[in-house]
Amino acid sequence: DALNKSNRTSGHDDIPWVIVYSDVDTVFLKNPIPYVEAKLFETVDEPNKSPQATERTGLTLASSNRSQRLSPSYDIVSSVDNINASGFEFYYCTGFFAINPTPASVVFFSQWEKELQAYPRLNQPVFNDAIRVPLIGDATIRHAPLKLHDFPSGRLFFETWEKEIDPDFASLKKSNVVVVH
């Protein structure tokens, strides 16, 4: 399955819209698209632009000229499995991520697939290692985490959030979460 995940996301450089990948055990509590697009296309002067503002500007996946009007801030945005783990500030979860089909993201997914074919193992550690190294030709992949409060892992959501991350999260849990993976 690890290899199949990279196969399903590689070779799509001719697609003019964002690709959202989700494992089957992901629970959607709200539409994630406005949140994903707000992060992919955030600007330096508007880093916390609300999903509602994105909806008002008409920047949805159904918008056929989105890619002509905007330049992405990131190639990939991903949910986070853990923070400060395995030597990374954000340890990405390959259970929910979005890809902007940029030249860099196409190269990244090709390299991820080759690494998984050469050394079959769990895809998430390979993803986390690969996303932080230069691509072929010294290009870099622009990546960012989705907000933990909006896209928590199941472990964080159901078990350890109050203890590990934010003691006040219990009161926010039901109203703010978009996706649990």
Side-chain angles (χ1 to χ4, degrees), residues 25-102:
D25 64 346
T26 301
V27 178
F28 290 75
L29 301 173
K30 295 180 187 175
N31 178 2
I33 302 306
Y35 296 85
V36 167
E37 284 198 331
K39 187 65 178 180
L40 280 169
F41 295 98
E42 76 182 5
T43 59
V44 174
D45 58 334
E46 296 180 289
N48 295 312
K49 186 176 182 180
S50 73
Q52 292 75 23
T54 302
E55 289 175 325
R56 284 194 302 274
T57 60
L59 306 176
T60 64
L61 293 182
S63 176
S64 60
N65 5 341
R66 177 197 51 80
S67 60
Q68 296 170 355
R69 292 186 288 157
L70 293 173
S71 203
S73 299
Y74 301 105
D75 303 301
I76 299 172
V77 294
S78 180
S79 57
V80 174
D81 200 38
N82 214 337
I83 56 173
N84 299 317
S86 300
F88 302 120
E89 180 182 3
F90 296 103
Y91 190 76
Y92 293 124
C93 177
T94 55
F96 186 89
F97 58 87
I99 310 149
N100 222 328
T102 61

Side-chain angles (χ1 to χ4, degrees), residues 135-168:
L135 301 172
I136 297 169
D138 293 330
T140 57
I141 189 85
R142 297 169 302 162
H143 58 90
L146 292 164
K147 291 181 182 177
L148 276 173
H149 281 84
D150 293 337
F151 295 84
S153 69
R155 181 186 61 80
L156 287 175
F157 185 81
F158 292 110
E159 298 172 19
T160 60
W161 197 287
E162 292 86 356
K163 291 181 269 182
E164 292 182 18
I165 308 296
D166 185 350
D168 298 322

